Amino acid sequence: KATVQVKVKVNDPDEYLRPEMNSSVSFLNDAKPAPTQVSSTPRIVIPATAVRNDNVFIVLNGKALARPVKTGSTTARGVVVEQGLIGGEDLVLAPPATLKNGDRVHAKGA
């Protein structure tokens, strides 16, 4: 909440209106309210190619670390992760079959 000073001119003041009086103002808007989000919990969606044998590889300090995940539904953007990730992790998007837990990796283009 905030307080904002607004100066207005009253066209037809009555005898009760005095200088320096405070007032509360509500602004009316004809716009429709924004739709509310159906789910309050954020969803983590990752490319399906990142999941191998119910695991994903996250990159931490230049090493690939296997992290077990529980996946849910599939969307047009990828697979919904229900457990195992918190969001914001760097993932190996298409881990090769030879990639093992603890192997050194580097970001593409780095």
Side-chain angles (χ1 to χ4, degrees):
K1 294 191 174 202
T3 302
V4 178
Q5 180 180 2
V6 178
K7 294 185 180 186
V8 295
K9 179 180 179 185
V10 179
N11 289 335
D12 296 318
D14 60 19
E15 68 267 8
Y16 299 109
L17 187 63
R18 301 280 183 249
E20 303 294 325
M21 289 180 76
N22 292 329
S23 66
S24 295
V25 178
S26 295
F27 293 96
L28 302 177
N29 186 357
D30 291 334
K32 294 179 182 176
T36 58
Q37 191 175 7
V38 175
S39 174
S40 61
T41 57
R43 293 188 338 166
I44 299 172
V45 179
I46 63 171
T49 59
V51 181
R52 188 177 81 194
N53 300 328
D54 293 328
N55 287 295
V56 296
F57 284 94
I58 64 168
V59 179
L60 188 63
N61 297 326
K63 293 186 179 184
L65 301 175
R67 173 91 43 97
V69 292
K70 178 181 176 189
T71 58
S73 61
T74 302
T75 69
R77 295 181 58 212
V79 177
V80 177
V81 177
E82 295 178 355
Q83 290 178 340
L85 296 176
I86 59 171
E89 294 96 340
D90 291 327
L91 299 177
V92 178
L93 296 183
T98 57
L99 185 64
K100 303 287 185 240
N101 192 32
D103 284 353
R104 295 203 60 64
V105 293
H106 65 276
K108 188 175 183 177

